[in-house]
Amino acid sequence: MRSRTGVLFVVVTVLYLAAGLYLSLGVGYLQGDALSRVADTRAALLSRDPHLAAIGFIFTPLTALLQLPLVWLSAWIPGLTTWSLTAVAVSAPAMAGAVVQVNALARERGCPPWLTWGLTAVFALHPMIVYYGANGMSEALFVFLVVWAVRRLFRWMSTDDVHDLMVAGCALGLAYLARYDALAASGTATLLVGAVAWRRSRRPAVAILDGLLVAAPTVLAFVAWAATSWLITGNAMAQFSSRYGNAAILEQSGGGSGGGMDALTFSLAEIVVLAPALALVGVVSVVLAVRRRDPEPLVLLVLLAVLTFAVLTYLRGMTFPFLRFYISAVPLAVLCVVFIAPRRGGVRARRLGPMPAERRPDPMVGVRPVQVVGLLVVVAGLPVSAFAMLSPALSQEQHALHTAVVPWLGYSDPDLRFEQQAIIASFDTERRLADHLDALGLPEGSVLMDTVQGFPIIASTKRPDRFVIPSDRDFVTILNDPAGHGVQFMLTVPNEGRGTSDALNLRYPTIHDNGAGIATLVMEVLNSGNDRPTWRLWRVNR
Amino acid sequence: MSPADERARSDAALYDSVHGLREREPLASAAVAFVPWQKRAGLAGLLVLVVLLVLATTPTLIALTALCTFVYLVTLADRVVLLTRGLARDAIMTVPDDLAREVPDEDLPTYTVLVPAYNEPEVIADLIDAVSALEYPADKLEVLLLLEADDDVTIDAAEAAGLGRVCRILRIPPADPRTKPKACNYALHYATGTIITIFDAEDRPDPLQLRRVAVAFAELDNEVACVQAKLAFHNGSQNMLTAWFTADYALWFNFLLPGLMKSDSPIPLGGTSNHIRSDVLSEIGAWDPYNVTEDADLGVRIAARGYRTAVLDSTTLEEANPDPINWVRQRSRWYKGYLQTWLVHMRRPARLWRALGPVGMFRFTTLLAGTPVIACLNMVFWLVTLSWILGQPEAVAQVFPAYVYFPALICLLLGNATIFYCNLVAVRESGNPQLWWACLTVPLYWVLMSVAAIKGTYQLFANPSYWEKTVHGLAS
């Protein structure tokens, strides 16, 4: 069984890697957030002031940290970062890990092989799962870690094995370092474990201790991240409150929701298109769980909590209308079908806990047709999700896949096609700008820019050390007197939208318009990408 | 035997118990803390350090900080490995009750239980309870209550109580050092059992422990010279200190010792409930009366001679020290003893390396030298951290350049958190969930540990063989 799991992992990893290579190298379609992380990681290793803190405190660090070794190689092979390949190298095995966990959970629950492998395939081939395994975003790690925790909690329900609690706790702690939404998962898991432990033992101490074992790693991750952030930037919650943080981006780009019924409808629509079968299989598994008096499906509350968190934050206008925030609906629907299966066999523990629960086999009568229907409805959901991902209204970030992958499907609207081509061309301009600057053979620290829009340049250039960027500890000094510190060129973006947070615009508000008296315009570069700024390259006056 | 012969035998036994190991194998005895080359090497090292500190203060301090951080991280990683191995269900040797009772009396080996006591009249009653609870045939069991001949109060109490058939008093002629190992060595000359074990007078061993050990020895191969049973406390809930101490012991005996056993590493034996084959004991030279943790020393000697120690799932309940001053005295003795033991066995490092192998050598060093040294260093780093939080002095910043700072930060956060977590796991798995709050407040316990370590280390230089007596009978 172990070797079969290994094969599954390798095969699925290769599948996602291939998809990732096709999208980045074949089509040139990259996700901005993934590329931005790549650039931060590169700045931490290869900029003129390499230090770990340059990895930044806006994004959670896990995805970036895991890329460090490969990003280091980009000193010799810049293509690794230009095309975001280091990020794909993390997301592909991570998402494959999630597939392996779904497979293992189905097996341990006692699903018959056809169902185990059917559900594994549905999950692995779900277009959203494939895309996020292939595009280098942090969703892959997040899904993997949360599903891993769910599986370990499921095991703990019957084994009471401390190993299961420890792994679940650590997975959730790591998940917090992949995406903040993990706080919802972690909190729910803690309450669930506490409640189950209390019900079993009737001793508050047991409930508290087991809850602590699950919660502690997340608490550590939270405190460690906030403390590190505070020590280095003086701001414990940079991701929320800094001028590059979430709230600021929302304000600058005006992408948040208006709240109310519209927001709620949008969230529900996103969930429905990602997992059309969810409501049906969810209700069936709840009914069966109640009839069987089976506590195991309760572990799905962890995934449900993540989903609820996404809905609530959007409702409160705190996030963007992005389909990916609801990605946990996919494993949730698949696992609902897993829990339709009756309990069979025992779960092997490394060390049985003090209060293991006997797994009584559930009655099998009439369950097989329900399982078949369950599998069929989740399979039937796949094309729905695929089409929804091509819809600009539902899938702001993914709809360009239409032009990138399935252009033969036809277009109703030529403007849309044009927009999708521009999305795919995003960062093209910055890549060429990087090539141009590389070709000038400049010395170290001779180009000043902010990475808020300039990150693709850092990801693409052969020589990141030629740039002076905000993560450099002497950035402010140099910004105040570029000429005096050997800066020859400056790159600026319009002082509007996200460009208002650009450090050059903040220091010299008119610089993009007239050089603020310290620089002379060399050239203006119109951007071929969608929602990307016009660049101006300035020569610093001596 | 005539009184004169008796006297001669006692004198010989006494002489052997004090001087035997030192005369037969001077390098194995802690009678001298440092042999000349160790003294010279230590002084030379100190001199080099001072010179470096004067000539290149900051680089030297950076190097020291980097080295300490590295040691912390390596030790931490190893502890996690040991805990992980120790957590496996099969890490500890288990002999179920029915199997232990099944062995016919005539197949059981003869057993000697040594119970050293000094000036403890109040524990005699406990001792009688514990001995009479042991399920072992009386004709194969010998319990020797080792009392100093001039310890009238305890002798009177014991005689008044009437010790019964299996238990008798062995009077140890008064002579320095008045230590537990000397008493045990003396008693070895009178002991008749093929397996020898030590209990403290106030211990409450699992009644089936001796039978379980007998089965374990029969099942295990000939290389196993010693079986260590688990120690735990009966007064864990008495106060904060006993709660911490209980959590500490839960981790050590339930998981780290089994982890060491699984890793074939030397096991520093615990103070009591170690069951040793008497033939091996005489072969490798019994206890060192000059070592203040003679059990840890014996554990290492067992490993160094190619024998092994097994850890058995059978618990002896002891009394946790509820008084901070008393606790610090006891712990400082342990730390001093660990250092003594490390120094003794490092007198011939090449030979030890050959016997233990690189991993065994590493564990021997991290456990016996690392434990006290790290506990001392903790105080230094806490003070550095505190000064940083209070005033961010430039001097501290200089000693922590980025390549030291980040590993140190990881160490600070991950290291402390890991130990917290290990404690939580240990109290859960040892059936003490009510001690969860002790796990959360354990840093205060670490402060006590550090104080004890500093005291013990200081004493290693000032008064190496002084035995800090622990007062028993404080449990309510």
Side-chain angles (χ1 to χ4, degrees), chain A residues 407-419:
Chain A
W408 37 267
L409 279 180
Y411 297 86
S412 51
D413 178 359
D415 287 349
L416 177 61
R417 175 160 200 164
F418 184 75
E419 186 192 331

Side-chain angles (χ1 to χ4, degrees), chain A residues 160 166 210 213 231 350-351, chain B residues 84 87 405 421 428-429:
Chain A
D160 197 31
M166 289 160 73
D210 284 0
L213 283 168
L231 277 173
R350 185 156 184 256
R351 173 192 180 89
Chain B
T84 316
L87 262 179
Y405 180 72
Y421 206 63
R428 179 186 200 266
E429 293 301 295

